[in-house]
Amino acid sequence: MRERQAAVVAVLLLASVGVGKAAAATLQSVIDDARQEGQLSIVAGESILGGANARLIDAFNKYYGLSIDVRFTPGPPVPAMVATVIQQTQAHKQAATDVIIGFSNHMFDLINAHAIQKPDWQDWAPNLKGPGLVSSEGEAVPVQSGTPGIAYNTTVFQSDDIPTKFQALLDPKLKGRVATTVYASYLDRLALPEMWGREKTFDFARKLSDQVGGLIRCNELNRLASGEFDVFGLTCSQTDPLVVAAKGAPVGFTLASDAPIIMLLYEAVPVMAAHPNTAKLWINFMSSPEGQKLLYEVSFADLSLLPGSQTAKSIAAVEAKGAKFLVIDVDFYRQHDAAAMNRDLAEAQKIFQTR
């Protein structure tokens, strides 16, 4: 009996050692496995990550000394893509994308559905070792910080006239010249107790509704540049107005100091990804100085948590004036009632849609 017990213990010890070795990936081992995979498929919205800029792909391969065939395919909106990945996980079918990209609420849903992997980032990923660079449970990796604000026509506003607060859109002189989003962006966040609270937020929404000349989407800034509207807020992030401005359109952007919010965009590897090792390398690369620099050049957004972030400079300028930013990360949804926020958002949308 004792010999049998000893044999069982020995087998268990060997198994645990084997598991330990398998789990202890190195950067080189992940690179080798990715080379065998030979491909990376990312399905996402056309504007995400700068619209799949070829420079990012070239830099990714150069970073690791690889020649991976990276394919970006324009996909459906993020919520639909997340739902697809969850359904494919539950059906044990290959994921439609090797890298799933989404905001905090989307990652929260994916984590709860056990639809994304929990790689051993700390063992091998050199760019993901700082605080906040991986979600608290290890699945999702933030890649960009989005900062909503106010876009304006630069032929109408200059210098001290530029609106720097969301509530500045209530100026009677702007009546009929204001645009806001069809989805009442961020009003559910503003309604939180740590921000404006529900009473102040919905009072503001009703007043803003009287000012609004039209409801537009965040990527319809040509309507601002054309002079159809003078000002637009809150934008989804800084990306759309800054990209349009860089092309020469008369559009400016400023953070709204009374609505200081940071929305984190994440990447993760689906459980059923066809090329998981290449996906992990991509995510690690996107947090590298090279990846972040290129990402900002093509999208005007990078991760404010990383050294050298351009977005962090804009945030710091507003913080210097006393603003305290609300960070919408994955843990935010562990601490807040998402259902209640959705109800507030629906109520705000109804105010604008029935104006």
Side-chain angles (χ1 to χ4, degrees):
M1 179 64 72
R2 289 181 179 177
E3 291 179 356
R4 184 179 178 183
Q5 290 176 336
V8 170
V9 170
V11 170
L12 291 174
L13 286 172
L14 286 171
S16 67
V17 170
V19 169
K21 289 182 178 178
T26 65
L27 177 59
Q28 188 58 53
S29 70
V30 178
I31 292 173
D32 292 341
D33 289 341
R35 185 176 284 109
Q36 292 297 314
E37 292 172 353
Q39 186 176 325
L40 180 68
S41 175
I42 302 178
V43 180
E46 291 189 51
S47 63
I48 289 181
L49 301 185
N53 190 280
R55 293 169 62 197
L56 282 172
I57 298 173
D58 292 341
F60 164 72
N61 275 311
K62 183 178 180 181
Y63 189 76
Y64 296 110
L66 294 170
S67 55
I68 299 292
D69 178 15
V70 181
R71 302 178 182 180
F72 275 87
T73 304
V78 173
M81 198 66 207
V82 168
T84 296
V85 168
I86 291 174
Q87 291 166 3
Q88 290 168 334
T89 303
Q90 294 169 343
H92 301 286
K93 293 183 178 180
Q94 181 175 302
T97 181
D98 292 320
V99 178
I100 182 69
I101 304 171
F103 291 99
S104 312
N105 54 319
H106 306 124
M107 289 297 148
F108 188 64
D109 291 341
L110 288 161
I111 290 169
N112 287 338
H114 306 288
I116 52 178
Q117 297 185 22
K118 187 177 181 179
D120 46 358
W121 302 112
Q122 296 302 314
D123 286 345
W124 66 269
N127 300 320
L128 303 178
K129 296 188 180 297
L133 299 184
V134 178
S135 64
S136 59
E137 293 186 4
E139 295 95 339
V141 175
V143 63
Q144 281 183 328
S145 300
T147 50
I150 299 166
Y152 56 91
N153 188 303
T154 56
T155 64
V156 177
F157 298 100
Q158 295 97 27
S159 189
D160 293 341
D161 293 333
I162 295 171
T164 59
K165 293 185 177 182
F166 194 19
Q167 296 197 52
L169 274 58
L170 299 184
D171 187 333
K173 293 183 295 185
L174 296 177
K175 188 175 180 65
R177 305 298 301 164
V178 175
T180 193
T181 63
V182 295
Y183 11 77
S185 296
Y186 297 103
L187 288 180
D188 55 334
R189 276 79 169 184
L190 292 178
L192 294 170
E194 59 265 47
M195 295 296 284
W196 292 7
R198 293 189 81 258
E199 183 177 352
K200 179 179 177 179
T201 298
F202 286 105
D203 177 65
F204 171 80
R206 286 185 286 271
K207 292 176 180 176
L208 181 61
S209 179
D210 291 337
Q211 291 282 97
V212 166
L215 303 177
I216 68 175
R217 300 184 184 278
C218 286
N219 61 356
E220 294 183 313
L221 292 177
N222 58 306
R223 299 176 67 180
L224 188 66
S226 69
E228 181 180 354
F229 304 106
D230 292 342
V231 64
F232 170 50
L234 288 173
T235 64
C236 289
S237 73
Q238 73 275 32
T239 295
D240 287 311
L242 292 180
V243 167
V244 170
K247 295 178 181 179
V251 172
F253 173 80
T254 183
L255 293 181
S257 61
D258 58 346
I261 298 171
I262 298 171
M263 284 284 291
L264 294 183
L265 181 71
Y266 288 84
E267 295 179 306
V269 184
V271 166
M272 301 301 294
H275 311 101
N277 292 288
T278 315
K280 294 171 190 175
L281 288 184
W282 175 268
I283 291 173
N284 178 64
F285 163 73
M286 291 303 296
S287 291
S288 70
E290 296 91 332
Q292 287 285 300
K293 181 176 183 292
L294 274 174
L295 185 60
Y296 190 84
E297 288 176 2
V298 299
S299 69
F300 292 94
D302 55 16
L303 184 62
S304 58
L305 300 172
L306 288 169
S309 166
Q310 297 299 311
T311 306
K313 295 178 182 178
S314 300
I315 292 170
V318 177
E319 287 179 326
K321 298 177 182 178
K324 183 178 181 181
F325 279 81
L326 176 69
V327 179
I328 312 294
D329 57 12
V330 172
D331 283 338
F332 173 89
Y333 286 94
R334 304 184 195 282
Q335 302 158 4
H336 293 81
D337 185 344
M341 290 174 61
N342 287 336
R343 289 193 295 270
D344 285 344
L345 187 61
E347 184 176 341
Q349 290 170 345
K350 187 176 179 180
I351 289 172
F352 294 111
Q353 292 165 1
T354 59
R355 74 190 199 286

